[in-house]
Amino acid sequence: MKPSSFTQPGYRVTADADLTHHNSFRVPARAQWLIEVDDARALPEVFGLGAVKRSPLLILGEGSNVLLTRDWPGVVLAVAARGIRVLEDRGDDARMRVEAGENWNEFVHWSLGHGFAGLENLILIPGSVGAAPIQNIGAYGVEVREFIETIEAFDRHSGQLGRLDNAVCNFAYRDSLFKRDPDRFVVTSVEFRLPRQHELRLDYAGVREELAAMKIDAPNPAALAEAVMRLRTRKLPNPAEIGNAGSFFKNPVVPSALANELRRENPALPAWLGNAGQCKLSAAWLVEACGFKGLREGDAGVSERHALVLVNHGTATGEQIRALAQRVVDTVQTRFGIRLEPEPRIV
Ligand code: FAD
Ligand code: EPU
């Protein structure tokens, strides 16, 4: 692979590629090779290339959940295949195959426009369809795992394309088989089953109030999607305006006894009861209580809109953002005894 860029049927290779516009923090980084695959059938050939066999691999979608702290000394592989196809329509619901390179939000709009329900709470989440199962994206009381039937992926262990049923993906809050074993599976497409009618999820804080403000008392999926878009636009900084990766930390899940103890000392700390005596705490509240909201160190900062969102005000490097994240983790640990875990992949 000598020339700086070349195209083959199904993929395109660029040498010494600039990744600044391939990550939503918009931090500078380069990859030795960037391979953009627009046809999954080319993957066996791609994985046969000498450079791919010899060098470290990083799979990238739209880069909205990664923090690049250095140049990548190997191959960055992006699945760019597009397409949405209804495979089976049973009337009450339908099964559809969506290629990994489709944009998630565009697919949600497509589903609503074709009369399907289910994904309305997940509208406006950035990124690709192929990345949606990696951390089991979730918002406003819904997780994508509820609608995934099967995932097609290239397994680097076997060197073959295969299918993984929902049950083997070990989906959990911001977690899956894929997140625990990164870069083994290249997700090439996702099969969803979406209903035409379903009970809307309105219980997440602020949703009913937003619908009331919109003067809607009998919402349909499109109205709920509109309410969620309004909430998200108000709460979260827009990565097109200021670099960020959404929540930088996961909400910590702790034993209920510990949550109760913390809440005795900090009655305002939001906590949600989970399964098996566990409680989810608000990481945003913990970070804000430590005084980080709106803080800025050079161009690395914590959003003034949402304490869980680290931002790049302009020319921050990934390393500067990582250093700020570490300060947040250490301070929250010292003050509350809770160790926050990052949500994005730190490269
Ligand atoms: P990338 O950032 O490119 O990759 C993320 C991870 O997935 C990496 O580990 C990468 O190696 C892996 N990966 C990507 N594509 C593939 C593939 N085809 N095969 C195998 N592995 C792959 N997330 C939520 O869950 N809920 C939210 O409400 C939410 N809000 C957000 C708001 C903002 C403003 C931003 C910037 C991010 C938000 N996120 C949210 C995080 C992000 O949108 C999701 O994690 C999204 O799924 C990332 O998609 P991506 O294509 O950008 O993946
Ligand atoms: N809060 C603060 N300070 C803030 C912001 C929030 O104290 O600056 C407290 C408030 O009490 C608020 C509570 O935190 O009621 C929860 O806030 P929010 O509804 O914004 O949700 P979150 O827990 O901070 C999670 C997800 C988001 C998702 C929203 C909506 C995680 C790590 N984050 O945020 O996902 O959009 O819920 O469901 O679970 C992402 O993963 O990147 C992401 C943005």
Side-chain angles (χ1 to χ4, degrees):
M1 295 202 294
K2 264 273 166 271
S4 62
S5 142
F6 65 88
T7 304
Q8 288 287 327
Y11 66 99
R12 175 186 159 81
V13 180
T14 308
D16 187 28
D18 183 4
L19 300 179
T20 314
H21 298 287
H22 288 269
N23 77 93
S24 63
F25 266 119
R26 283 201 301 284
V27 293
R30 304 193 79 82
Q32 194 179 4
W33 302 101
L34 171 65
I35 305 184
E36 289 160 290
V37 178
D38 55 27
D39 185 343
R41 287 169 301 183
L43 281 171
E45 181 180 321
V46 167
F47 280 101
L49 296 172
V52 181
K53 283 198 207 151
R54 283 192 304 271
S55 26
L57 178 86
L58 171 67
I59 306 168
L60 204 58
E62 295 184 19
S64 63
N65 213 26
V66 291
L67 176 61
L68 304 172
T69 64
R70 59 183 169 96
D71 293 340
W72 184 253
V75 171
V76 168
L77 184 93
V79 187
R82 308 290 299 246
I84 304 176
R85 195 153 49 94
V86 175
L87 302 174
E88 176 195 21
D89 195 333
R90 302 195 294 198
D92 288 348
D93 64 23
R95 184 163 61 90
M96 60 218 62
R97 174 191 162 107
V98 187
E99 302 303 318
E102 283 290 331
N103 173 268
W104 173 260
N105 186 47
E106 285 174 19
F107 168 54
V108 175
H109 280 277
W110 178 94
S111 72
L112 293 168
H114 285 75
F116 296 110
L119 303 182
E120 51 280 352
N121 299 50
L122 302 179
I123 200 155
L124 221 55
I125 297 180
S128 58
V129 167
I134 307 302
Q135 72 158 2
N136 174 30
I137 55 170
Y140 293 88
V142 173
E143 288 182 341
V144 73
R145 66 167 158 183
E146 298 170 47
F147 301 98
I148 291 179
E149 223 168 67
T150 312
I151 286 168
E152 188 190 79
F154 181 85
D155 181 356
R156 291 175 65 213
H157 287 187
S158 68
Q160 287 180 339
L161 271 173
R163 290 166 64 80
L164 294 109
D165 286 339
N166 180 311
V168 303
C169 295
N170 295 337
F171 289 124
Y173 165 65
R174 298 296 190 269
D175 200 14
S176 73
L177 164 77
F178 311 104
K179 193 154 179 177
R180 284 166 183 243
D181 195 358
D183 303 320
R184 171 176 170 185
F185 294 99
V186 184
V187 173
T188 54
S189 68
V190 183
E191 281 179 24
F192 298 89
R193 186 174 290 283
L194 296 182
R196 285 207 163 77
Q197 302 284 338
H198 90 144
E199 201 177 321
L200 298 180
R201 306 281 178 77
L202 304 170
D203 289 339
Y204 195 92
V207 170
R208 290 180 199 278
E209 292 78 356
E210 195 65 34
L211 286 163
M214 290 160 61
K215 306 205 184 322
I216 290 173
D217 46 15
N220 60 15
L224 176 51
E226 175 63 29
V228 169
M229 284 197 279
R230 290 178 183 217
L231 284 163
R232 291 186 67 99
T233 307
R234 258 204 323 273
K235 282 191 191 183
L236 293 170
N238 179 352
E241 288 160 12
I242 183 163
N244 75 85
S247 301
F248 198 88
F249 301 104
K250 292 191 269 189
N251 285 325
V253 178
V254 302
S256 296
L258 173 58
N260 290 338
E261 201 180 303
L262 277 166
R263 274 165 59 86
R264 265 195 297 279
E265 288 156 27
N266 308 280
L269 166 62
W272 303 275
L273 206 56
N275 303 327
Q278 301 279 83
C279 229
K280 196 191 267 179
L281 303 174
S282 163
W285 191 93
L286 297 170
V287 174
E288 182 169 351
C290 290
F292 282 104
K293 192 168 179 175
L295 178 128
R296 188 168 170 168
E297 280 179 356
D299 270 355
V302 177
S303 169
E304 65 273 346
R305 281 212 219 167
H306 201 299
L308 213 45
V309 182
L310 298 195
V311 291
N312 176 6
H313 286 282
T315 60
T317 62
E319 187 46 40
Q320 286 165 339
I321 293 168
R322 199 202 56 76
L324 175 58
Q326 191 59 49
R327 252 188 73 195
V328 172
V329 169
D330 292 343
T331 310
V332 169
Q333 165 100 49
T334 305
R335 166 121 184 241
F336 295 106
I338 301 271
R339 187 146 197 92
L340 294 180
E341 287 178 20
E343 183 196 281
R345 176 160 178 197
I346 299 177
V347 178

